Amino acid sequence: MSVIITERFQRVFTALKELALGHWDQEEDEEALQELTKLMSGQEIDLDLLESNARESRDADWVYLLIITYQNLYQAQRLLKLVLQDSMAVSSDLSYWARRKEHPVFYYHEQTPWFWWKYYTGKAAHPIVLTMNKLKVLNEVDEIAMTFLGSVYLSLAVPSSLEDLYRLNHATLASCRQLIYGENGQNFKESKDIRNLILQLKDINVAIQTYDMKESYIAASQPPWYQRKWLLLTLGCIGGFCALRYTALHIEDIKTGIMDVFEATIAFGQTQMKTLFKAIETIRYEKNEDLTEIQTRAVEASEESLARMVLDFNRQHVNLTPEEMHRIEEAAKYGDLSTIMPSYEKEIEKPIKGALFGEFIRLVLIQVQKQKVDVERVMLQLDKLLRTNELNFTVLALLPAISVAYSLYHFVVKERTNKHAEEMIRNSLRQVHSLLNKNNSGNNELGVVEYGRLIVSLNTVREFTQYLNRKVLTWMVEDLQEIETERYSVRQRLATVDRMYRTYKFLGI
């Protein structure tokens, strides 16, 4: 359903609901009120039951007239949906045949040899003649659809009184009858009899069930794709047959080539991807949990060895109590060598004598063990830090890929979509400008057919405005509302279109 027409219907339904609520207390027919409640909630009603309960008096027609109006608009919506679907197909067929009329060579290529045989034997008309006939049929169907679309849109005035409801029903029923029954539908007579309106509704309801506009233009539709592409399909089949024959004759060479490609791929994976996997394993630690536990035990063993070295040295030079021995051992595990530093300082005064006859070498080896413990502790802390920041490293490694993917999406997918949307808006707005310019004379008003074409073009613009940024979208919707309203003259609408060309840069070529 068209966005513009849907909004129009919503405004009318809102007005009908306000009318119903305003006259609710004045009506005493409970059955009629129940039927109206069903319709207001979107449920179907029984027209036969409604006809049997309808009153002939016009003193209390509000509730029945509201019911008829609701049902009438629901039927018009259903019919509009069918017509819009068919009008899109007709528009596509019109574009196809118009291109074939301008470039008949392409149409000649699409015709099968069977068609040319019938043409040369006099059983088929010339392709140009066929194109003109199909265009004529499609233009007639398109005019019917646009007439119905424009008449229904113009009839959807917001009702505020009993006379407005009658006028809305008469206009909508007349449009539906003219679409379904053609010229015979023009004999519709306006009536303010509730029963007569219900009979008209029932007639339209039955006709909609079997209505199909495709019957009027199916013969003028563009040929199916396989018929249009018969030459390419034929050449493709011949090429496929030749490819299969070549494959059968050179199967060994093809197998050898496939194996060479497979081996080259494996070699690339082993030489190039292996480096990448090693780099990832450097950051990720799921497979190195046992190694981390071994490293922790190794650090603890080194700390205990250092503590024993310091304790043994102190026991050989000083008499210690058990409490002092425990204190020295615990301090040495955390790197405290204050108990051996005086001896170290004394030995370093005479390093050669201390190395040959003293404890200098032993004290130096204790210092080396202490440095080894410090290095292992730092490495273990670094390992824990890397494990803690594993997710950060993973995200950091993915940032280039994410940046490239976003750039490709923005500059390839999104940019192409935006350009297509801008092109469709330009084409549709050009059609709107051309339509308004052709009717900018005489009474300075649009006819029913022109209004239908205007609604279709504006609806196309509405559909593609969703790809514009929010600020441009707001302005564009306001401008389109000025063009679609019937309160503005053709000249005023043309001024709005000119303002749009000056305001939006993407509308320029």
Side-chain angles (χ1 to χ4, degrees), residues 119-170:
Y119 168 70
Y120 286 115
T121 56
K123 297 180 180 180
H126 192 274
I128 299 298
V129 177
L130 292 176
T131 302
M132 298 300 294
N133 293 336
K134 293 178 184 297
L135 282 173
K136 181 180 179 181
V137 173
L138 291 172
N139 281 321
E140 292 176 355
V141 175
D142 183 65
E143 184 173 354
I144 293 173
M146 294 302 105
T147 301
F148 174 72
L149 185 61
S151 61
V152 171
Y153 181 83
L154 293 175
S155 67
L156 292 176
V158 177
S160 59
S161 63
L162 188 67
E163 293 299 326
D164 291 342
L165 290 178
Y166 278 116
R167 194 180 302 112
L168 174 61
N169 280 284
H170 293 154

Side-chain angles (χ1 to χ4, degrees), residues 109-112 115 223-231 233:
H109 292 166
E110 293 178 356
Q111 297 304 319
T112 61
F115 170 82
W225 67 271
Y226 55 84
Q227 182 176 338
R228 300 195 305 268
K229 306 294 183 182
W230 74 271
L231 184 58
L233 291 175

Side-chain angles (χ1 to χ4, degrees), residues 312-358:
D312 291 342
F313 183 86
N314 282 281
R315 280 190 303 189
Q316 292 177 7
H317 294 82
V318 181
N319 292 325
L320 301 173
T321 63
E323 292 77 7
E324 290 176 338
M325 293 173 58
H326 179 71
R327 179 176 56 80
I328 292 173
E329 184 178 10
E330 291 298 325
K333 286 183 179 180
Y334 293 99
D336 185 6
L337 303 181
S338 58
T339 57
I340 67 170
M341 292 308 294
S343 300
Y344 180 74
E345 294 171 359
K346 183 178 179 181
E347 293 290 335
I348 204 172
E349 292 178 356
K350 299 177 180 179
I352 297 177
K353 179 181 178 182
L356 294 175
F357 306 104

Side-chain angles (χ1 to χ4, degrees), residues 218-320:
I218 190 65
S221 299
Q222 54 183 306
W225 67 271
Y226 55 84
Q227 182 176 338
R228 300 195 305 268
K229 306 294 183 182
W230 74 271
L231 184 58
L232 292 177
L233 291 175
T234 303
L235 294 176
C237 291
I238 295 174
F241 174 77
C242 294
L244 290 175
R245 187 173 181 273
Y246 178 85
T247 301
L249 295 176
H250 301 82
I251 187 65
E252 295 299 329
D253 295 338
I254 293 175
K255 287 182 179 180
T256 303
I258 293 175
M259 292 302 298
D260 292 341
V261 172
F262 179 75
E263 292 175 358
T265 304
I266 296 298
F268 173 80
Q270 291 177 346
T271 56
Q272 302 296 328
M273 303 302 292
K274 190 175 182 180
T275 305
L276 177 61
F277 291 151
K278 285 184 177 180
I280 294 175
E281 289 178 357
T282 304
I283 299 175
R284 301 188 64 86
Y285 293 92
E286 288 85 352
K287 298 181 179 180
N288 297 331
E289 293 180 356
D290 296 338
L291 178 61
T292 304
E293 186 177 354
I294 293 173
Q295 290 176 348
T296 304
R297 291 201 299 265
V299 173
E300 293 175 354
S302 298
E303 291 175 349
E304 293 174 357
S305 177
L306 176 62
R308 287 194 298 270
M309 290 180 184
V310 174
L311 183 61
D312 291 342
F313 183 86
N314 282 281
R315 280 190 303 189
Q316 292 177 7
H317 294 82
V318 181
N319 292 325
L320 301 173

Side-chain angles (χ1 to χ4, degrees), residues 474-485:
T474 303
W475 289 359
M476 182 75 73
V477 171
E478 293 176 356
D479 294 336
L480 294 178
Q481 289 175 350
E482 290 184 10
I483 299 174
E484 72 189 42
T485 180

Side-chain angles (χ1 to χ4, degrees), residues 2-230:
S2 168
V3 177
I4 298 174
I5 296 181
T6 301
E7 293 178 353
R8 189 88 166 195
F9 269 105
Q10 291 299 326
R11 288 197 292 268
V12 175
F13 281 131
T14 303
L16 290 178
K17 187 175 181 179
E18 292 176 355
L19 284 175
L21 295 176
H23 293 79
W24 198 272
D25 297 334
Q26 302 178 15
E27 184 60 46
E28 298 179 356
D29 193 333
E30 293 295 335
E31 294 182 356
L33 290 176
Q34 291 177 2
E35 297 297 322
L36 180 59
T37 304
K38 289 182 181 180
L39 280 173
M40 291 173 64
S41 62
Q43 301 180 23
E44 294 288 339
I45 64 170
D46 189 352
L47 290 177
D48 294 329
L49 180 61
L50 182 66
E51 181 185 5
S52 63
N53 295 334
R55 289 172 259 178
E56 298 180 358
S57 171
R58 292 188 54 198
D59 297 333
D61 284 343
W62 271 103
V63 64
Y64 286 102
L65 194 56
L66 282 170
I67 293 174
I68 293 172
T69 306
Y70 264 104
Q71 188 68 22
N72 192 7
L73 293 178
Y74 285 148
Q75 291 184 352
Q77 275 188 318
R78 290 171 55 192
L79 199 55
L80 269 173
K81 186 176 182 180
L82 297 175
V83 172
L84 281 174
Q85 292 176 352
D86 290 331
S87 65
M88 292 177 63
V90 171
S91 177
S92 176
D93 293 339
L94 278 171
S95 300
Y96 171 81
W97 292 116
R99 290 194 301 270
R100 294 305 175 267
K101 179 183 176 182
E102 295 176 0
H103 307 285
V105 176
F106 298 106
Y107 186 44
Y108 296 158
H109 292 166
E110 293 178 356
Q111 297 304 319
T112 61
W114 174 246
F115 170 82
W116 290 112
W117 170 258
K118 291 195 297 182
Y119 168 70
Y120 286 115
T121 56
K123 297 180 180 180
H126 192 274
I128 299 298
V129 177
L130 292 176
T131 302
M132 298 300 294
N133 293 336
K134 293 178 184 297
L135 282 173
K136 181 180 179 181
V137 173
L138 291 172
N139 281 321
E140 292 176 355
V141 175
D142 183 65
E143 184 173 354
I144 293 173
M146 294 302 105
T147 301
F148 174 72
L149 185 61
S151 61
V152 171
Y153 181 83
L154 293 175
S155 67
L156 292 176
V158 177
S160 59
S161 63
L162 188 67
E163 293 299 326
D164 291 342
L165 290 178
Y166 278 116
R167 194 180 302 112
L168 174 61
N169 280 284
H170 293 154
T172 309
L173 286 172
S175 301
C176 295
R177 287 184 61 85
Q178 186 173 356
L179 174 69
I180 296 174
Y181 299 113
E183 296 182 356
N184 297 328
Q186 298 179 356
N187 299 325
F188 172 73
K189 295 181 180 180
E190 296 184 2
S191 173
K192 294 186 177 181
D193 183 16
I194 295 297
R195 291 182 179 274
N196 187 26
L197 288 174
I198 294 175
L199 288 174
Q200 295 288 344
L201 262 179
K202 291 173 62 178
D203 183 39
I204 295 296
N205 191 29
V206 173
I208 290 177
Q209 305 299 328
T210 58
Y211 176 74
D212 189 3
M213 183 181 279
K214 293 180 180 179
E215 296 179 356
S216 58
Y217 71 88
I218 190 65
S221 299
Q222 54 183 306
W225 67 271
Y226 55 84
Q227 182 176 338
R228 300 195 305 268
K229 306 294 183 182
W230 74 271

Side-chain angles (χ1 to χ4, degrees), residues 401-463:
I402 295 174
S403 301
V404 172
Y406 177 77
S407 301
L408 289 175
Y409 170 75
H410 185 270
F411 293 105
V412 177
V413 179
K414 190 174 181 180
E415 194 71 21
R416 183 176 297 179
T417 303
N418 291 346
K419 286 184 178 180
H420 176 67
E422 292 173 358
E423 182 180 358
M424 295 300 297
I425 292 175
R426 281 196 299 269
N427 295 338
S428 300
L429 203 59
R430 184 180 181 276
Q431 295 175 1
V432 171
H433 189 276
S434 176
L435 179 64
L436 295 175
N437 193 42
K438 290 178 181 178
N439 292 272
N440 190 20
S441 60
N443 57 4
N444 203 23
E445 291 183 0
L446 293 177
V448 177
V449 179
E450 288 75 14
Y451 224 105
R453 299 189 191 281
L454 177 67
I455 295 301
V456 172
S457 299
L458 292 179
N459 183 67
T460 303
V461 177
R462 279 282 192 97
E463 289 179 352

